Amino acid sequence: MCWSATADLVAGSAIACVGVACVARVRRIGDLPLAALPLLLGAHQLVEARVWQVGGGSGWATMAWAVIALPLLAVWVPVAVVCAVPRPDRRRPAVPLVAGVLTAVVLTYALATRPVRAEIRGHTVGYAIGLPYGDVLIAGYLLATVGALLLSGDDWLRGLGLLAAVGAPACWALWRLEFVSTWCAVAAVSSVTVFGWVVRRARADRRCHAESV
């Protein structure tokens, strides 16, 4: 996520504040899961700050980090997209939703039956989980998260999907080199993008209400 406990605390708090602003501006119930995504991303970074503070290991913070990063996000993102898009457009993200549910089931089972351990490696945190069928799970995860956004039919959400598609491999490459973890920057930009989407939706609703009066 970030390169230190302090960075995770600062970034996580800022992203959570963006999430609060997103939720406060929601006008449609169906938009709430997606508007709350920055809250989840902020909480995720705050959890990792605790992982830094305790020096890694296999405590509750490590497990909470893994649960949010793996099965929860695999389901949350496609469900949020399906809830947010108009009913006629919900068929497009249906395949990513199914992929997310199946991937989340396997990931949940793996987390429940295998040890999860975090290790501080310079300016990064490595998480050892030992997932089965790693390549298949990664493909299912990316289809569920990035795929759902790209197939949403909404320009802002497609932009968010492109951001994730470009940012994720870049962050992964830096993390693999154990140089520095930069996912917090991608999470911050993604959260601002979600805020822009919420504001645009709220303005459109106000225009529709004004025209109908």
Side-chain angles (χ1 to χ4, degrees), residues 122-201:
H123 294 293
T124 66
V125 181
Y127 294 89
I129 301 173
L131 296 175
Y133 313 109
D135 291 342
V136 175
L137 288 175
I138 291 172
Y141 188 94
L142 292 176
L143 175 59
T145 52
V146 177
L149 293 167
L150 293 177
L151 293 174
S152 65
D154 182 284
D155 289 341
W156 277 82
L157 298 186
R158 279 199 293 260
L160 181 59
L162 288 173
L163 174 63
V166 173
C171 293
W172 179 82
L174 291 172
W175 175 82
R176 287 285 293 175
L177 293 171
E178 297 184 8
F179 174 64
V180 66
S181 182
T182 55
W183 178 249
C184 55
V186 176
V189 176
S190 299
S191 298
V192 172
T193 303
V194 173
F195 179 77
W197 174 80
V198 170
V199 170
R200 191 195 67 165
R201 299 274 278 194

Side-chain angles (χ1 to χ4, degrees), residues 83-154:
C83 290
V85 299
R87 191 176 298 275
D89 295 334
R90 290 180 181 175
R91 291 183 179 180
R92 282 182 292 191
V95 172
L97 175 59
V98 173
V101 171
L102 294 176
T103 301
V105 169
V106 177
L107 290 172
T108 300
Y109 178 78
L111 293 179
T113 58
R114 297 168 183 258
V116 182
R117 185 171 184 81
E119 179 183 350
I120 307 299
R121 302 171 183 171
H123 294 293
T124 66
V125 181
Y127 294 89
I129 301 173
L131 296 175
Y133 313 109
D135 291 342
V136 175
L137 288 175
I138 291 172
Y141 188 94
L142 292 176
L143 175 59
T145 52
V146 177
L149 293 167
L150 293 177
L151 293 174
S152 65
D154 182 284

Side-chain angles (χ1 to χ4, degrees), residues 22-135:
C22 289
V23 171
R25 284 168 170 77
V26 165
R27 296 294 181 269
R28 308 178 191 179
I29 295 298
D31 292 350
L32 189 57
L34 194 55
L37 181 60
L39 279 175
L40 182 61
L41 296 178
H44 197 206
Q45 292 191 216
L46 294 175
V47 167
E48 189 175 76
R50 180 60 181 171
V51 175
W52 279 102
Q53 290 169 350
V54 300
S58 55
W60 70 265
T62 298
M63 178 58 74
W65 185 95
V67 168
I68 295 173
L70 299 174
L72 185 53
L73 277 175
V75 174
W76 190 295
V77 174
V79 167
V81 171
V82 169
C83 290
V85 299
R87 191 176 298 275
D89 295 334
R90 290 180 181 175
R91 291 183 179 180
R92 282 182 292 191
V95 172
L97 175 59
V98 173
V101 171
L102 294 176
T103 301
V105 169
V106 177
L107 290 172
T108 300
Y109 178 78
L111 293 179
T113 58
R114 297 168 183 258
V116 182
R117 185 171 184 81
E119 179 183 350
I120 307 299
R121 302 171 183 171
H123 294 293
T124 66
V125 181
Y127 294 89
I129 301 173
L131 296 175
Y133 313 109
D135 291 342

